[in-house]
């Protein structure tokens, strides 16, 4: 009796395994891994920002874009009549600053060689500037809203956001749109993509208005990492500050700079498991 029971159980397990592999082959699904066996593909990696250093930041800066290049930190700020672009050595006060006349509302910024692009929100223009002096070179008509922008140098393209769940690819010389991708996590759209940072083929995006950053495979639009940012300001500082907005990779390291609108501080962080 015991032998028959063992044989019956083995038969059921074998049949289940065969059916499972047949279903996998037909559907292309990935089966679970338990104790070393295959498991369903998990969702995005869970990460958190770990602070390495606290730096000063202008509490009057309504930060819209943050970028580092060649040891320089660039920051674009918003609001009509208060918008600006600043640049200076990393870790020091800005050495150069230009103002945007009202009604221009400054948004994302990215460096492309000796030039840079600064977007505006709903003004329908992007401004090309000299990356050293910040002097305006020309203005280009820009369709839709401008939010975030970053440069994928190896791919020869810009990546831009407009507050939706889509990223657009653009020619870095003309800003002509060359393609786009829908950003999803667990198969669902991720809306309100804001400030962007390109690191290789990966794009990091602030999700407005939250303390959440998503890491995106720019080719597929799939979110590969969900990064939570713990409270970084004191209760008193929070009362005068707005949301997290500003992410810049520090070249040659795995570190990033984070700040926010009207934040009195900027933070050098790494993203760790958590």
């Amino acid at each position: 009796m015991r032998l028959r029971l063992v044989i019956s159980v083995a038969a059921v397990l074998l049949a289940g395994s065969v059916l499972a592999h047949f279903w996998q082959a037909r559907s292309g699904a990935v089966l679970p891994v338990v104790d070393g066996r295959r498991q369903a593909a998990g969702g995005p990696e869970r990460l958190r920002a770990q602070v390495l250093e606290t730096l000063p930041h202008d509490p009057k800066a309504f930060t819209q874009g943050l970028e580092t290049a060649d040891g320089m930190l660039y920051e674009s700020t918003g609001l009509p009549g208060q918008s600006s672009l600043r640049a200076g050595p990393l870790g020091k006060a800005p050495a150069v600053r230009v103002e945007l006349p009202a009604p221009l509302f400054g948004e994302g910024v990215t460096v492309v060689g000796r030039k840079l692009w600064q977007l505006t929100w709903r003004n329908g223009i992007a401004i090309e500037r000299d990356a050293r002096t910040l002097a305006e070179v020309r203005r280009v008509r820009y369709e839709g809203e401008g939010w975030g922008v970053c440069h994928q140098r190896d791919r020869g393209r810009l990546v831009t956001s407009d507050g939706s769940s889509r990223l657009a690819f653009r020619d870095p010389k003309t800003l002509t749109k060359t393609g786009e991708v829908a950003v999803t996590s667990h198969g669902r759209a991720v809306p309100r993509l804001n400030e962007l940072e390109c690191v290789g083929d990966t794009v990091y995006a602030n999700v407005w208005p939250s303390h959440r950053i998503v890491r995106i495979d720019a080719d597929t639009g799939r979110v590969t990492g969900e990064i939570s940012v713990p409270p970084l300001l004191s209760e008193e500082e929070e009362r005068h500050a707005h949301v997290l907005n500003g992410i810049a990779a520090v070249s040659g390291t795995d570190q990033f700079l984070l700040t926010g609108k009207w934040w009195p501080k900027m933070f050098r962080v790494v993203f760790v498991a958590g």
Side-chain angles (χ1 to χ4, degrees):
M1 182 67 180
R2 181 176 299 176
L3 179 60
R4 289 181 180 178
L5 180 60
V6 170
I7 293 174
S8 297
V9 170
V12 170
L13 290 175
L14 178 61
S17 176
V18 170
L19 287 173
H21 283 282
F22 173 76
W23 175 80
Q24 179 190 22
R26 290 293 297 271
S27 66
V30 180
L31 295 174
V33 174
V34 180
D35 296 329
R37 290 172 288 167
R38 185 165 296 281
Q39 191 173 75
E45 183 181 9
R46 297 289 176 177
L47 302 166
R48 61 181 174 83
Q50 178 178 294
V51 175
L52 301 178
E53 183 182 10
T54 301
L55 303 167
H57 182 250
D58 181 0
K60 296 181 180 179
F62 196 75
T63 305
Q64 298 293 91
L66 205 63
E67 171 100 338
T68 66
D70 299 322
M72 298 287 285
L73 176 65
Y74 297 84
E75 182 172 10
S76 175
T77 71
L79 299 178
Q82 300 180 41
S83 294
S84 68
L85 182 63
R86 305 126 182 249
L90 187 60
K92 297 183 179 181
V96 187
R97 172 172 172 160
V98 293
E99 312 294 330
L100 277 70
L104 296 184
F105 191 121
E107 281 282 350
V109 62
T110 195
V111 176
V112 183
R114 296 182 179 180
K115 303 288 176 48
L116 64 79
W117 286 106
Q118 183 181 24
L119 303 185
T120 60
W121 183 27
R122 292 175 171 172
N123 305 112
I125 65 170
I127 304 171
E128 185 181 38
R129 298 181 181 276
D130 181 282
R132 183 176 60 85
T133 66
L134 306 188
E136 184 174 322
V137 176
R138 60 176 171 145
R139 296 187 179 189
V140 174
R141 296 301 305 173
Y142 190 89
E143 293 295 327
E145 295 186 4
W147 286 49
V149 58
C150 63
H151 181 211
Q152 287 189 316
R153 183 169 40 236
D154 294 340
R155 303 296 295 275
R157 67 187 183 186
L158 301 181
V159 184
T160 62
S161 62
D162 61 4
S164 71
S165 60
R166 305 187 75 83
L167 296 177
F169 305 125
R170 297 180 183 275
D171 184 285
K173 293 183 179 179
T174 65
L175 294 192
T176 301
K177 188 174 177 180
T178 58
E180 64 177 18
V181 67
V183 177
T184 61
S185 179
H186 297 285
R188 296 182 178 181
V190 180
R192 298 175 180 172
L193 299 174
N194 196 0
E195 223 276 284
L196 305 179
E197 179 68 3
C198 291
V199 180
D201 290 337
T202 299
V203 174
Y204 292 81
N206 285 152
V207 179
W208 183 86
S210 72
H211 281 205
R212 174 189 176 204
I213 296 169
V214 290
R215 187 184 66 199
I216 305 162
D217 180 324
D219 289 329
T220 65
R222 187 173 66 88
V223 170
T224 63
E226 290 272 359
I227 303 161
S228 64
V229 180
L232 298 177
L233 302 179
S234 68
E235 290 185 9
E236 176 63 23
E237 290 168 336
E238 285 279 6
R239 280 196 282 270
H240 303 283
H242 200 32
V243 298
L244 175 78
N245 195 51
I247 176 172
V250 180
S251 299
T253 76
D254 60 351
Q255 301 168 11
F256 292 81
L257 297 177
L258 300 181
T259 192
K261 306 174 190 289
W262 296 328
W263 281 28
K265 296 173 182 175
M266 181 181 294
F267 300 89
R268 187 190 293 262
V269 306
V270 289
F271 300 143
V272 299

